[in-house]
Amino acid sequence: MATVAIEGMQWGDEGKGKVTDYFASRAEIVVRSQGGNNAGHSIEHAGKRYALRLLPSGILNPNVTNVLADGMVINPIALLDEIKGMKAQGIPCENFIISKRASVLLPYHVELDHVREAALGKAKIGTTGRGIGPCYEDKAQRTGLRMGDLLEPEYLRERLESALAIKNIELAAFGGKTFTVEEIMDSLKEAMDFLKPYIVDTSVFLRKALKENKKVLFEGAQGALLCTTHGTYPYVTSSSPLATAIPNNTGLPLNAVEDVVGIMKAYSTRVGEGPFPTELDGEIAKNIRDKGHEYGTVTKRPRRVGWLDIPQLNYVAGISGIKHVCLMLLDVLDVVDDIYICTKYLIDGKEIDYIPSTVSELAKVTPEYISLPSWKEDISHMTSYDALPEKCKAYIAKIEELTGLEICMVSVGPDKDATIIRKEMF
Ligand code: GDP
Ligand code: IMO
Ligand code: MG
């Protein structure tokens, strides 16, 4: 395949960063097309650990051009901080370009995110507090600024004046901090000066690359169930993490993505509020959380943990056309005696053959489970499928049987070497 998209099939944090970094050695271009620094992609590379938020996970590979494409929301100050941090870790960070069409995420978006979540009280979404929702709202409202505006300071000032005229009223109404144009311009100065040479029309670059049959990897952020339209609304993010959104978010035609590789954990996690049918609590959840280091990369919040959910995965495979998947964090499940898999959803004792589209209906769902024994031994050093314990292979086979998906990669540890390839996908 010349072009492949990496899509998170659950609620984010499936290990997309590791897979993207793994494939980056074969890619010429890696593209992020939605979301912002709500994403947190941790990568273990050559014995070091990196946490990426805005930069695509191909940044560690100097031969890859990394693209921050049109549909992203970019906080220029956060991006500069991330680049400085990467440089301090010895990564040159010069191999990237930023779309002129990407939205600029500014300090008032962050402030609005906080005051609104506080005002929602118990009904809060549990956002990452990075201003993502307010920035996408401004884009739709047409009061947003775009990265290309940073190249024209006078126009930028005009746009800021009209945006702040509205934003400050809202901020004041919530009792939040208000902003002046000067304050924002000053806070942006260093990042603007640094980023200017990287801001281009990335869609022209990408269309040319496709014509030249370049190998392009599209790295998703978040997960399918966080999609604004198809996820567990309103407990979602404000963009679509689905691969089907990539053409629109990059300025490419529909056939730009040749295959979609789904990334799924061997269990489920979710951060923030919202329904989670297979959620666990107590000792089992704690053991999985500790072994899998299930604490947010961005906010350090403990992640909610649950069993694998087949109806949910089948729903995502259906809307995204996924046939090939990477099964991540399989090594974690040696901490339990029995592994449960939700195979069906029941409402009032009756099986339903669809995923409820409202959270109130989803809350009524009772998951039905089957269980398999865990292998109870360390598999993190195993580098071939044949070497895996029989009970581990049985779990993999059961997932394939219940989903009809082909598990092409099995990940047994955070490190690049802790990867078992069963079929090449890229
Ligand atoms: P992303 O947001 O989808 O890129 O995923 P995150 O980076 O937020 O979370 C995945 C976490 O799992 C990271 O800390 C990875 O280093 C780690 N990880 C990835 N694959 C494996 C694996 O197979 N086993 C273990 N134990 N950890 C893994
Ligand atoms: P990666 O790319 C997990 C969740 C937040 C919250 C909801 C809305 O690392 O998989 P937002 O700040 O986007 O308005 O928050 O979405 N969320 C994520 N959860 N992984 C992510 O990204 C997430 N990005 C947003 O926790 O529930
Ligand atoms: Mg993450």
Side-chain angles (χ1 to χ4, degrees), residues 24-335:
S25 56
R26 289 173 225 175
E28 290 165 279
I29 297 165
V30 174
V31 187
R32 259 286 299 272
S33 55
Q34 41 75 227
N37 58 336
N38 48 349
H41 302 166
S42 299
I43 300 172
E44 292 201 7
H45 188 102
K48 280 194 188 165
R49 193 163 175 87
Y50 302 91
L52 297 169
R53 298 187 166 96
L54 286 158
L55 291 167
S57 302
I59 199 76
L60 304 177
N61 192 314
N63 302 321
V64 168
T65 302
N66 291 275
V67 181
L68 287 79
D70 312 333
M72 283 189 75
V73 287
I74 299 174
N75 179 334
I77 301 163
L79 178 56
L80 178 59
D81 277 352
E82 188 174 328
I83 292 168
K84 282 183 183 168
M86 292 300 281
K87 283 182 190 273
Q89 285 186 281
I91 304 295
C93 255
E94 276 148 18
N95 48 333
F96 70 95
I97 51 175
I98 305 169
S99 170
K100 286 185 180 177
R101 291 187 179 86
S103 299
V104 186
L105 194 151
L106 290 160
Y108 51 82
H109 295 126
V110 178
E111 179 72 7
L112 271 169
D113 201 353
H114 286 128
V115 294
R116 284 206 202 141
E117 281 280 275
L120 281 171
K122 271 167 85 185
K124 70 173 192 228
I125 305 297
T127 71
T128 58
R130 297 299 186 269
I132 306 299
C135 187
Y136 275 117
E137 273 168 48
D138 272 6
K139 174 180 179 175
Q141 169 80 354
R142 292 149 296 177
T143 42
L145 279 72
R146 309 213 291 182
M147 290 302 286
D149 300 344
L150 301 188
L151 305 176
E152 297 179 60
E154 279 317 304
Y155 181 63
L156 176 70
R157 184 178 289 273
E158 270 173 42
R159 294 286 295 162
L160 262 178
E161 269 163 14
S162 46
L164 279 180
I166 298 170
K167 296 292 130 186
N168 278 338
I169 294 171
E170 199 184 343
L171 281 167
F174 278 116
K177 175 182 165 16
T178 56
F179 294 85
T180 64
V181 172
E182 264 348 291
E183 213 177 330
I184 304 272
M185 291 295 282
D186 284 350
S187 71
L188 277 179
K189 176 128 190 19
E190 188 192 354
M192 255 165 74
D193 289 345
F194 180 85
L195 295 174
K196 266 178 192 164
Y198 300 96
I199 302 172
V200 298
D201 188 332
T202 54
S203 76
V204 170
F205 171 84
L206 288 172
R207 283 194 296 275
K208 184 163 173 283
L210 287 195
K211 262 201 186 129
E212 292 167 358
N213 288 319
K214 292 255 158 70
K215 279 191 85 99
V216 185
L217 196 58
F218 296 94
E219 177 188 30
Q222 290 81 50
L225 273 293
L226 292 174
C227 172
T228 326
T229 308
H230 299 283
T232 46
Y233 189 88
Y235 301 99
V236 292
T237 190
S238 299
S239 68
S240 177
L242 302 181
T244 48
I246 290 171
N248 188 45
N249 283 329
T250 51
L252 291 173
L254 263 187
N255 60 2
V257 182
E258 287 174 35
D259 195 15
V260 187
V261 172
I263 314 299
M264 58 188 264
K265 276 184 187 175
Y267 48 94
S268 308
T269 60
R270 148 157 234 177
V271 205
E273 309 304 314
F276 187 0
T278 64
E279 183 163 14
L280 284 161
D281 55 17
E283 198 66 13
I284 297 179
K286 186 183 174 302
N287 291 344
I288 295 176
R289 184 179 301 116
D290 288 349
K291 172 101 198 241
H293 303 290
E294 296 293 359
Y295 296 87
T297 313
V298 178
T299 56
K300 313 284 180 248
R301 290 178 289 181
R303 293 174 184 153
R304 297 158 66 192
V305 173
W307 297 118
L308 205 63
D309 182 335
I310 300 295
Q312 176 257 302
L313 289 168
N314 285 343
Y315 166 67
V316 172
I319 53 178
S320 301
I322 292 172
K323 295 191 177 66
H324 306 122
V325 295
C326 303
L327 181 65
M328 312 300 290
L329 293 109
L330 187 61
D331 52 305
V332 172
L333 289 182
D334 70 357
V335 293

Side-chain angles (χ1 to χ4, degrees), residues 359-380:
V359 279
S360 49
E361 216 184 341
L362 200 52
K364 289 189 204 137
V365 155
T366 310
E368 191 169 280
Y369 294 100
I370 57 165
S371 76
L372 281 80
S374 170
W375 42 95
K376 304 290 284 173
E377 63 173 297
D378 180 22
I379 57 166
S380 60

Side-chain angles (χ1 to χ4, degrees), residues 347-369:
I347 292 186
D348 299 329
K350 283 205 194 89
E351 183 183 346
I352 54 165
D353 61 359
Y354 60 92
I355 297 287
S357 51
T358 63
V359 279
S360 49
E361 216 184 341
L362 200 52
K364 289 189 204 137
V365 155
T366 310
E368 191 169 280
Y369 294 100

